[in-house]
Amino acid sequence: MTDRPTNTPGRDTGSGISRRRLFGAVGAGAVIAGAGAVAGRATGPDDTGVAAHGVVDFRGEHQAGIVTPAQDRMHFVAFDITTTDRAQVVAMLKTWTEMAARMTAGLEATEDGATGDGAYQAPSDTGEALDLDPSQLTLTIGFGPSLFDDRFGLAPLKPAALQDLPHFPADNLDPTRSGGDIAIQACANDPQVAVHAIRNLARVAFGTASVRWSQLGFGRTSSTSTAQATPRNLFGFKDGTNNLKAEDPDALSESVWVAGDDDQAWMAGGSYLVARRIRMLIEQWDRAVLKEQEAVIGRDKREGAPLGQTTEFDELDLESKGPDGPFVPVTAHVRLASAQHLGGIRILRRGYNFTDGSDGFGHLDAGLFFIAFCRNPLDQFVPMQLELARSDALNEYIQHVGSAVFACPPGLRDGEYWGQSLFEA
Amino acid sequence: MTDRPTNTPGRDTGSGISRRRLFGAVGAGAVIAGAGAVAGRATGPDDTGVAAHGVVDFRGEHQAGIVTPAQDRMHFVAFDITTTDRAQVVAMLKTWTEMAARMTAGLEATEDGATGDGAYQAPSDTGEALDLDPSQLTLTIGFGPSLFDDRFGLAPLKPAALQDLPHFPADNLDPTRSGGDIAIQACANDPQVAVHAIRNLARVAFGTASVRWSQLGFGRTSSTSTAQATPRNLFGFKDGTNNLKAEDPDALSESVWVAGDDDQAWMAGGSYLVARRIRMLIEQWDRAVLKEQEAVIGRDKREGAPLGQTTEFDELDLESKGPDGPFVPVTAHVRLASAQHLGGIRILRRGYNFTDGSDGFGHLDAGLFFIAFCRNPLDQFVPMQLELARSDALNEYIQHVGSAVFACPPGLRDGEYWGQSLFEA
């Protein structure tokens, strides 16, 4: 796979500003140049120094949107395939690929698609991103276990690692927020750019696939690069301090990327995406005292230091004890989710905060849309979540209400289309 | 009211960066200084030149968040009062005011509230905005018609202009997304800052008020300043070209601010907020041909020029005709909503795009959360909406599913609390 180019997060290209037609070259250049200094500051604790307005390469060894420094906003969609015609699915994937390559480059979904198709045709781009920057849009595709049933002849190619997740204790899953044949994760620093991308892909899928569920995330809850500050989740705690980072390729090879001899060959260089919609019972949480909150998490609230330590990146020491026992309680979230506790298991978290109106009982419907990438969910996410579901003190304050798993194939070479390694295997 | 300070949108103050404790003074200063050049570019077509990270004054002649240049993101909440004790409501309003003044200045809701209340108390700030900039947060309060029933003795003070909106043709209102005793509009350039503010206000309301409904808006659809570029709604069209602007104080006095002799004295300097959740049937729209879309709106899609004209800000000329009749069709949205057509009626629009998951039928639940401010909804919004509801070609592609109206009192002098002009009238 050495002939595949490497994704370049945040690379600015000439094409990166071509969607913004209202700007002269001088003005646009000044904005892009200035953006490097303050990238992400407008919208979150992001100090990556990459250009928040720029282009992330669509093609490369791996799909973008996995170890790409987490953008600030997300729109995630799961589709049901509504046809049994395999050729129609492949045709959709080819169309999607062309559109995705254009939109991630900051272009309309099709050439002059918003207005140039002729006055008496429906526009092939819906237009709401016409004046917006590329905003580091990434589009990441995954295939769910249900795609490998008997409809499309894909059953022999189903990876052993791609199984519906088991029922975990206290799961309260809504089937209308779970599963799906195909998922697309859109991440960008402008939510309108992410929504535009998903909406246009959904539009051309008409007759082949329909939206099963979708989720908007307004704020990232994980860093995936050492250059990013750690954001906070809606419990007010820094989240993802010990996350895997793009700068640690050995750990990514160990825990995120599927190796050539792991399973089905078409997944080599890919990864598995686990999505969990986690409702946070924020009203209950907000009535818990600070000591309780910190004991539940296992870190202090302001600094994010492991209990018993002083700064955020101090090593998590599960053995350290005070007069009342271990500094990090035996039911603390960070203990149970830690590699130390789990025999070395690590995953790449890439989740987002959400707030979706109210729940009808006087509360906000808010929480964390958890996304994780791992090399094998059965070996990594499942044992981790089993441990958490059984023992995590946090369970008093959260409820898992949606769940899905998808196989994300490797990145694309020039000319390849999404799913080619699977459909032409 | 000459002793009231004027709101200063985007003013940067020393206090404006005090929430961001992770930054040294030099780093923070550099970010703020740089922000002026690229303000808003990270997240939308905003060329206001104001500092997207900065502070908007909470107190002033009018409430902030009305003619303040529209921020990029919004969280709107409507509350039901759950007590019949007037003193309890006043106490909540006083607490809210202190918190709102702090949070809009970029501070925790209470001093050191996230961690400083003592380890064995529940934190009085939920913490998720600890590291974030002020982000031009504005909090705007309004009182609904139902607040003036017999519970709190306010009936004699109900403005004649504050009436539940009439049923308009084709309204399909969901009562759980409509009405409310009190509303708070939070706008900011960082959604997490807006959500944090609403969540903390809702938290301390426990026992006095509960969330009736809430709405997250991810992208502004209106400009309220001549310095802002016109954004696009989810139909892909520029929206709000002819909106009232902060730079036209005569028009604001005429159409937005309640005058001293208009109605109840406590509303002098205030305004009325109309909220409408407008579901856009985007799948139907996306299948309409470009000519049809442009005829429905009355403007061309790419430039936003009135039909028959060439650039966005060319005057809307309802009389201009081509060989096939008027360039702007008689059922076009911009014609029916125009001051020319409506005998001079104008309103200040300040809406946001939304996408709230899917509708269970394979479609995205997306649309426009319409917000308008006007001096008298009965004289302005109601006749305008009646005309639109009867004749607008756009009705084929939209559905009004939520509705509310609120009386927003004037701004606060130092020491005043939200609603003081009403509760101490």
Side-chain angles (χ1 to χ4, degrees), chain A residues 21 41-43 53 108 115 119 121 127 131 133 190 192 199 211 232 234 286 290-291 302 353 362, chain B residues 20-21 41-43 53 108 115 119 121 131 133 190 192 199 211 232 234 286 290-291 302 353 362:
Chain A
R21 293 171 184 260
R41 296 304 317 170
T43 49
H53 311 286
E108 291 161 61
T115 56
Q121 293 183 39
D131 317 319
D133 295 309
D190 184 329
Q192 185 133 332
R199 181 243 190 121
V211 174
R232 290 179 188 270
L234 293 183
D286 289 349
L290 180 63
K291 277 279 187 210
R302 190 173 292 271
N353 294 321
Chain B
R20 200 197 316 152
R21 293 170 184 259
R41 295 306 314 169
T43 49
H53 311 286
E108 290 161 63
T115 55
Q121 293 183 39
D131 318 318
D133 295 308
D190 185 330
Q192 184 133 332
R199 180 242 189 123
V211 174
R232 291 180 187 272
L234 292 183
D286 289 348
L290 180 64
K291 277 279 186 209
R302 191 173 290 272
N353 295 321

Side-chain angles (χ1 to χ4, degrees), chain A residues 4 39 73 81 123 138 201 206 228 307 319 331 395 425:
Chain A
R4 286 184 176 168
R73 322 281 168 229
I81 303 292
T138 56
L201 296 174
F206 183 73
Q228 293 185 301
L307 295 181
E319 306 304 320
T331 58
N395 292 333

Side-chain angles (χ1 to χ4, degrees), chain B residues 27-283:
Chain B
V31 168
I32 295 288
V38 298
R41 295 306 314 169
T43 49
D46 183 339
D47 305 301
T48 60
V50 298
H53 311 286
V55 173
V56 178
D57 284 343
F58 175 63
R59 294 174 188 274
E61 180 179 358
H62 306 294
Q63 286 197 72
I66 301 176
V67 300
T68 305
Q71 301 94 324
D72 282 328
R73 323 281 170 229
M74 178 210 70
H75 193 196
F76 193 103
V77 65
F79 292 97
D80 288 328
I81 303 291
T82 54
T83 179
T84 54
D85 180 351
R86 175 182 166 124
Q88 203 177 325
V89 177
V90 170
M92 177 185 73
L93 290 166
K94 288 179 177 174
T95 302
W96 273 359
T97 305
E98 288 172 26
M99 294 170 66
R102 290 185 55 88
M103 291 190 290
T104 53
L107 304 169
E108 290 161 63
T110 57
E111 190 165 349
D112 280 338
T115 55
D117 298 309
Y120 295 98
Q121 293 183 39
S124 53
D125 179 285
T126 56
E128 72 271 25
L130 267 179
D131 318 318
L132 304 178
D133 295 308
S135 306
Q136 295 192 319
L137 173 67
T138 56
L139 294 165
T140 312
I141 196 166
F143 303 119
S146 55
L147 188 71
F148 297 84
D149 60 16
D150 55 7
R151 287 172 294 168
F152 309 108
L154 298 173
L157 294 166
K158 186 178 183 181
L162 183 67
Q163 304 292 337
D164 284 320
L165 297 175
H167 177 84
F168 298 103
D171 270 3
N172 185 18
L173 303 183
D174 178 350
T176 68
R177 294 188 191 273
S178 300
D181 292 327
I182 300 184
I184 298 175
Q185 169 196 274
C187 296
N189 290 316
D190 185 330
Q192 184 133 332
V193 169
V195 169
H196 168 265
I198 294 297
R199 180 242 189 123
N200 278 270
L201 296 173
R203 193 180 86 79
V204 297
F206 183 75
T208 306
S210 72
V211 174
R212 180 178 174 86
W213 53 271
S214 92
Q215 180 68 53
L216 198 74
F218 66 77
R220 70 178 174 92
T221 60
S222 296
S223 302
T224 57
S225 165
T226 56
Q228 293 185 300
T230 310
R232 291 180 187 272
N233 61 32
L234 292 183
F235 284 156
F237 278 76
K238 292 183 186 177
D239 200 337
T241 298
N242 274 345
N243 202 15
L244 290 172
K245 299 283 161 70
E247 292 79 4
D248 189 352
D250 290 346
L252 298 177
S253 294
E254 176 70 24
S255 300
V256 175
W257 304 125
V258 177
D261 54 0
D262 276 3
D263 202 325
Q264 295 284 352
W266 66 269
M267 270 296 286
S271 190
Y272 294 91
L273 184 160
V274 175
R276 305 279 289 182
R277 188 178 192 271
I278 304 175
R279 171 81 191 275
M280 287 173 157
L281 309 175
I282 58 175
E283 290 77 11

